[in-house]
Amino acid sequence: MTDYRKLALRYLKLGKRRSIVTGIGVMITVIVIYAALNYGYSYILHQRQEVRKTADYEIVFLSDDTEKLSQVAADDRVVRAYTGRYVVEEDVFADEEQTADTRIYDNALYVNIRHPYRMYSVMEKMKADYGVDAELNWELSSLYIQDTDGLQAVALLVILLITYIFAIFAVGMLRNAIKMFVLEQIKDYGILRCIGATKGQLHQIIYCMGAIIEIAGIAAGVLAGTGVSMLLGFAVGIDAGFHIQPVIPILIAYLGDLYFVMQECSKLVITISPVSAVRGEYRIKKEKIRVRGNGLMGRLFGIEGAYARKSVLRNSGRFAKTVFTVMISITACIICLSSWDMIHATIRNTSEMYGRYMAEDGTAASIYYDVEKIQGNENLSADTIKDTASRYYITEAKLIYRITDNLVDPEEYYGKLDPDYKEQTNYGNYLGQRLQEWRDRDKTEYRADDDVEYKKAFSSQQCSMVGIEGCDQNDLDELARFVKSGTAELSEDGILVVNGGSTLDYAWSGDERLTLYDPAKHFKSYDFQLGDKIRLIDYKEYNKRYHAAYEQMVAESIVLRPEISTDSEYQSEVRGTKEGRKTYYEQYVIAEQIRQELIEEGRYRTYTVQGILDFGDQLMPNEGCIYMKREAFFDLSGYDEQDVTGVKYAIDLNLIPAEAFNELNLKNAADDVTDVVYGVLYVRNMIRYVLAFVIFAFALSSVNIINSIEGSIHMRRKEFAQLRVIGMSRKRLIHTVMLEGVMTTVISNLLGFLFGTIFTIYLYVYISMVLYVKPTVSWWAFGVGLIVSAFVICGSIYVPLRELPKDIVDDLKLEE
């Protein structure tokens, strides 16, 4: 007999459980890598089809010489060509203005070539051959990895590298499993050597064992991975069926690494003499016998614990490897889960900071910017609001009714500003300066060329503006949570005003911990008292008179500067009054004149402060804001339910993907929410991926641990038989050996807890540079790590022990 490879299948059958467990480990790695590669490849094919629907060409050749283009079309490298118009535009920036240098080719040649994966090199060669210019279909060429020379090779190397990383996990499990097979069958290999088997033939047996398990795992993984990728493709509308191309790098990486690993395993056989192998002398460890005490295990569990401790220390190398593997996994899990808790705490704090309606779109109506202009915004169309509200992370959408009205006396509102708010916040400082300018408007010394009437009018307009929001009962119930005095049950002339809340718009003093996203800080912003009176201009009449006067002013305006349009300069037309004031300035003069007329006529409404709000940790509106009942709002503004000025959305931050905020482009009433939330969600997603990889790595290392422990139990069968001969019961034997697993589990978990906590603290330092987070250690992760590791280690000991034969005679005959 010269072909011993059939023995490989026999050995695998003898160790059926280990073979299946190892094959499953290989399958898991292949599922992950094949599903990712197959989905990515399917996505690229789908995108190619989509691009070709609108631009089905690979290269466009540009020349005014039609004869040269005809020669290009007749080239063997071209399979299809057609002519058409092509516009080349190059942006030119001059004096902060953008212009375009445009050239049009009426007879450009659009071509498809025989080898699209070489379109870049073909284009460059044909440009040199025919002396014409050319451009790639860049959107399509990127899908063929054709942006630059050599990029295709780099991409393939990256794919192979990623695949090889997964192969290391898979083949590492095989190494451990095959080593166990070799050690168990070492006597057989010695006999084969004695009857004439060569080292090469023994190597073939070992390689066949590894190849059978790995190929079976790869086949099962590809089959399951195809199903996974099809499900992913179905979710996004892509046909992601089986493709052979992603299998190729898997076979190269896995089988290539397998060869070298099996060479290493075969050294266990070919480096031992046949006689030594038959005698089992490889198991004898040449070392001085050490006398060890009972230790802590002996004190806790008696003689069983002492024996378990001595058994572990007898093979300290394997024990250290197992402890290290489990410790690394637990450490990584604690780091990830603690970071996860930090991020979720930050998400919870962010939700509290931005309130129920985290994002909104729209703006307040005013005499300068009416409802019709606001509703011209595409984001406020009924279809857009319906589409946005239907997204799974939007829990509620609510319409906003908001105007900017003018005060009769700015002192009634802005005169209540808190000194600290004015000094320590940018917006408070701005309001304080604006109020002071209004107070000093009649005492200010103006320059000779100043338009004094406009400056006074502009100051009065800016200082008297205040935001008004009409609230339905649900809005008032939401605001009732922040009422510090008074009530949210308003009468027709009752209003709610804001006395405080948090803001991000404050001057950093150095006392707070600086991050890229600073925490909100609470301020008392105003000093309103219950019963205070605030007078507001009759907005309905104000709006009517202003628009009539503004349209008349525009109709009577003259051209102050004509439109200038040259190759190097463009200036729009400027119109103004006969007196020479620009219409932009005149509108403020008109608005202030009408405001004064309405005050003199008594055309204003008086409202009473019936509730005072303090938003606490929640951000307060940057602009001054007065809340009143919806009916009173409609009566003041003259609007009705159709005159919506915006929409606000309640968002579940635990569901929303990071990129959604960029898609929505929404802002909160108090602050731009996008940057803060994007940073939080980006870190959350990163931790998700890392945690998934840690769980994946732990699953694979668990397969190694199971195989190693099972092989060790099998090799100690004679030892167990001897213990039973001297009187140890089967139940007590299982208890004794299980204590070895307990020892391994406890030590690895203690080390994992220690290092996990230490590294979590260091990671917190880095995360806190980006986000405002509180240090959090995920104590519940300790319990998860303990339970999972105990299940893997103790379970892999208990199962093979339960299957030890009741007849111990055969085990006593085993070579030691």
Side-chain angles (χ1 to χ4, degrees):
M1 180 178 179
T2 57
D3 189 356
Y4 300 100
R5 286 176 293 185
K6 290 184 180 180
L7 286 173
L9 189 58
R10 177 177 178 275
Y11 291 149
L12 293 178
K13 289 180 179 180
L14 290 175
K16 185 186 301 183
R17 179 185 292 110
R18 186 185 306 137
S19 301
I20 292 174
V21 171
T22 306
I24 290 173
V26 175
M27 182 186 72
I28 292 172
T29 64
V30 175
I31 289 174
V32 175
I33 191 64
Y34 178 79
L37 293 177
N38 192 51
Y39 174 78
Y41 184 69
S42 300
Y43 178 79
I44 290 174
L45 294 180
H46 174 78
Q47 290 300 106
R48 288 177 188 172
Q49 293 176 356
E50 293 299 311
V51 172
R52 288 188 182 277
K53 288 178 182 179
T54 56
D56 188 14
Y57 71 94
E58 290 147 9
I59 307 171
V60 57
F61 289 95
L62 310 172
S63 177
D64 295 325
D65 191 335
T66 56
E67 183 177 350
K68 288 184 177 180
L69 294 179
S70 298
Q71 294 173 358
V72 172
D75 194 286
D76 291 339
R77 290 166 286 191
V78 176
V79 295
R80 189 170 70 90
Y82 61 92
T83 59
R85 190 169 182 265
Y86 190 82
V87 179
V88 178
E89 290 188 357
E90 181 179 357
D91 292 335
V92 179
F93 294 89
D95 297 330
E96 299 183 354
E97 293 188 5
Q98 179 179 346
T99 60
D101 183 12
T102 303
R103 184 175 180 184
I104 300 174
Y105 293 89
D106 293 321
N107 294 301
L109 184 69
Y110 295 81
V111 305
N112 293 102
I113 62 174
R114 296 186 185 279
H115 305 291
Y117 284 99
R118 295 174 50 207
M119 67 175 77
Y120 183 81
S121 60
V122 169
M123 181 188 73
E124 292 298 319
K125 290 179 181 178
M126 294 182 72
K127 283 169 61 177
D129 292 343
Y130 296 102
V132 295
D133 198 4
E135 287 189 5
L136 290 177
N137 180 351
W138 292 108
E139 191 174 4
L140 185 63
S141 66
S142 62
L143 297 172
Y144 283 92
I145 321 177
Q146 293 291 300
D147 289 345
T148 58
D149 281 331
L151 186 57
Q152 184 175 1
V154 172
L156 292 176
L157 287 174
V158 171
I159 292 174
L160 282 174
L161 178 60
I162 295 173
T163 308
Y164 183 68
I165 292 172
F166 281 81
I168 291 174
F169 284 110
V171 179
M173 289 182 291
L174 272 175
R175 176 195 289 113
N176 192 50
I178 299 302
K179 277 185 177 180
M180 291 298 103
F181 278 120
V182 170
L183 291 175
E184 291 169 4
Q185 308 300 334
I186 194 69
K187 187 174 180 180
D188 289 358
Y189 290 116
I191 294 172
L192 291 174
R193 291 282 301 281
C194 291
I195 64 175
T198 65
K199 294 180 179 180
Q201 289 171 329
L202 298 184
H203 172 72
Q204 288 178 358
I205 297 174
I206 296 170
Y207 186 83
C208 285
M209 291 172 62
I212 290 171
I213 296 177
E214 181 147 305
I215 292 174
I218 290 174
V222 169
L223 182 62
T226 301
V228 172
S229 58
M230 289 177 68
L231 290 175
L232 293 174
F234 177 77
V236 297
I238 294 175
D239 181 13
F242 172 77
H243 295 99
I244 191 63
Q245 288 84 348
V247 180
I248 296 173
I250 292 176
L251 292 176
I252 293 173
Y254 278 61
L255 297 182
D257 194 34
L258 176 69
Y259 176 79
F260 297 103
V261 169
M262 292 304 101
Q263 289 275 26
E264 178 185 338
C265 290
S266 65
K267 291 180 181 179
L268 294 172
V269 175
I270 62 178
T271 57
I272 300 176
S273 68
V275 176
S276 297
V278 172
R279 292 177 177 174
E281 291 179 352
Y282 76 99
R283 295 183 184 174
I284 299 174
K285 192 172 183 180
K286 306 290 186 181
E287 65 174 7
K288 184 178 179 180
I289 297 176
R290 298 179 182 178
V291 178
R292 296 186 174 97
N294 292 336
L296 181 61
M297 292 291 290
R299 296 190 185 95
L300 293 177
F301 301 102
I303 190 171
E304 290 92 347
Y307 186 84
R309 175 177 176 271
K310 292 173 182 178
S311 297
V312 165
L313 295 178
R314 234 177 0 182
N315 197 337
S316 57
R318 184 172 64 240
F319 173 73
K321 289 179 182 178
T322 305
V323 168
F324 179 78
T325 301
V326 177
M327 181 200 72
I328 291 296
S329 299
I330 293 175
T331 299
C333 283
I334 290 174
I335 293 172
C336 292
L337 293 176
S338 296
S339 301
W340 182 264
D341 282 352
M342 287 184 204
I343 296 303
H344 268 273
T346 303
I347 288 175
R348 184 171 58 252
N349 294 338
T350 302
S351 297
E352 295 173 355
M353 182 172 70
Y354 284 99
R356 177 176 177 80
Y357 300 101
M358 182 167 292
E360 67 176 50
D361 205 344
T363 188
S366 68
I367 60 173
Y368 303 104
Y369 198 66
D370 58 23
V371 170
E372 291 182 1
K373 291 181 180 178
I374 294 172
Q375 294 184 347
N377 181 356
E378 175 62 27
N379 289 341
L380 296 182
S381 67
D383 290 340
T384 302
I385 294 175
K386 183 178 179 181
D387 175 67
T388 303
S390 66
R391 302 184 185 189
Y392 64 91
Y393 47 80
I394 301 291
T395 59
E396 184 185 356
K398 192 169 185 60
L399 301 178
I400 301 173
Y401 297 88
R402 191 180 292 153
I403 63 171
T404 298
D405 198 4
N406 288 73
L407 298 157
V408 171
D409 182 3
E411 294 285 1
E412 293 176 353
Y413 193 91
Y414 295 110
K416 308 284 188 178
L417 277 169
D418 184 81
D420 289 339
Y421 184 67
K422 284 194 295 185
E423 293 176 5
Q424 298 180 28
T425 69
N426 297 325
Y427 188 67
N429 183 261
Y430 164 72
L431 291 177
Q433 290 180 358
R434 197 170 70 179
L435 180 64
Q436 193 60 43
E437 288 175 2
W438 175 78
R439 289 169 174 169
D440 297 339
R441 64 191 182 283
D442 294 327
K443 298 182 293 183
T444 302
E445 295 182 3
Y446 297 98
R447 296 181 306 183
D449 58 344
D450 280 343
D451 187 336
V452 177
E453 185 179 12
Y454 157 71
K455 288 201 168 185
K456 288 185 178 181
F458 181 79
S459 178
S460 294
Q461 280 290 298
Q462 292 295 306
C463 195
S464 62
M465 288 181 176
V466 66
I468 315 293
E469 185 168 331
C471 305
D472 62 12
Q473 190 57 49
N474 289 334
D475 294 327
L476 293 175
D477 291 342
E478 181 72 18
L479 291 171
R481 299 188 299 117
F482 305 106
V483 173
K484 295 304 178 185
S485 58
T487 178
E489 298 294 330
L490 302 177
S491 63
E492 292 304 314
D493 65 345
I495 58 174
L496 294 171
V497 293
V498 181
N499 252 19
S502 296
T503 182
L504 297 170
D505 180 42
Y506 62 90
W508 186 70
S509 62
D511 297 331
E512 301 83 9
R513 176 166 49 83
L514 181 63
T515 68
L516 294 182
Y517 304 106
D518 291 329
K521 186 175 181 180
H522 182 271
F523 284 92
K524 180 181 179 182
S525 53
Y526 293 86
D527 188 24
F528 291 107
Q529 303 296 322
L530 293 177
D532 283 350
K533 304 294 183 181
I534 296 178
R535 293 173 295 170
L536 297 173
I537 299 296
D538 186 338
Y539 182 87
K540 180 179 178 181
E541 183 66 21
Y542 193 17
N543 193 39
K544 177 182 175 181
R545 292 189 188 185
Y546 171 78
H547 280 285
Y550 181 78
E551 290 171 3
Q552 180 180 355
M553 181 265 293
V554 171
E556 295 176 354
S557 64
I558 61 174
V559 177
L560 299 181
R561 187 189 68 196
E563 180 182 24
I564 300 174
S565 180
T566 65
D567 293 338
S568 60
E569 181 182 9
Y570 174 80
Q571 293 183 359
S572 61
E573 179 185 80
V574 176
R575 302 185 68 85
T577 63
K578 296 176 182 178
E579 292 77 18
R581 180 183 291 143
K582 296 178 182 179
T583 54
Y584 175 77
Y585 297 152
E586 182 67 14
Q587 65 178 337
Y588 291 103
V589 175
I590 293 172
E592 182 59 20
Q593 289 174 349
I594 296 173
R595 173 174 167 271
Q596 293 298 331
E597 291 174 4
L598 292 172
I599 294 173
E600 292 172 2
E601 297 171 10
R603 301 294 294 269
Y604 52 80
R605 309 286 182 92
T606 302
Y607 296 90
T608 303
V609 175
Q610 295 181 347
I612 296 175
L613 306 174
D614 190 313
F615 286 100
D617 293 334
Q618 183 173 313
L619 297 178
M620 58 183 165
N622 277 335
E623 302 290 340
C625 192
I626 294 173
Y627 301 94
M628 62 177 60
K629 293 178 68 173
R630 184 76 55 84
E631 295 78 8
F633 174 84
F634 288 152
D635 182 54
L636 171 67
S637 63
Y639 294 144
D640 57 28
E641 291 185 354
Q642 303 301 318
D643 298 314
V644 177
T645 62
V647 61
K648 51 188 177 182
Y649 300 96
I651 296 175
D652 188 340
L653 283 183
N654 292 309
L655 296 178
I656 186 171
E659 61 273 10
F661 267 93
N662 287 336
E663 295 172 1
L664 293 174
N665 194 27
L666 300 176
K667 297 180 183 296
N668 183 271
D671 188 68
D672 185 348
V673 69
T674 303
D675 288 342
V676 174
V677 176
Y678 186 84
V680 173
L681 299 184
Y682 178 81
V683 175
R684 182 198 66 182
N685 290 346
M686 181 179 66
I687 293 173
R688 276 180 177 174
Y689 297 137
V690 174
L691 181 59
F693 182 78
V694 169
I695 294 173
F696 172 75
F698 181 72
L700 297 182
S701 63
S702 297
V703 175
N704 268 335
I705 292 172
I706 292 171
N707 280 341
S708 177
I709 292 177
E710 184 180 359
S712 175
I713 296 295
H714 184 83
M715 294 171 61
R716 295 172 61 189
R717 285 168 58 187
K718 185 173 182 179
E719 173 193 341
F720 298 150
Q722 291 170 342
L723 291 174
R724 292 179 63 189
V725 166
I726 63 175
M728 182 177 284
S729 67
R730 183 185 181 87
K731 184 177 180 180
R732 189 179 178 189
L733 173 64
I734 294 175
H735 177 256
T736 301
V737 182
M738 286 290 290
L739 288 176
E740 298 178 20
V742 171
M743 186 176 176
T744 304
T745 303
V746 170
I747 293 177
S748 59
N749 275 269
L750 288 176
L751 292 175
F753 299 164
L754 175 63
F755 288 107
T757 303
I758 293 173
F759 285 114
T760 296
I761 294 172
Y762 277 101
L763 184 62
Y764 158 74
V765 174
Y766 289 100
I767 294 180
S768 64
M769 293 180 182
V770 181
L771 305 174
Y772 184 70
V773 296
K774 295 180 179 179
T776 303
V777 177
S778 183
W779 301 108
W780 63 273
F782 296 166
V784 173
L786 181 61
I787 293 171
V788 174
S789 59
F791 178 79
V792 171
I793 296 172
C794 297
S796 59
I797 293 175
Y798 181 77
V799 173
L801 282 177
R802 290 286 297 177
E803 296 182 356
L804 288 178
K806 294 183 179 180
D807 185 4
I808 63 176
V809 175
D810 291 337
D811 286 350
L812 287 172
K813 294 179 181 179
L814 293 174
E815 291 290 342
E816 190 57 54

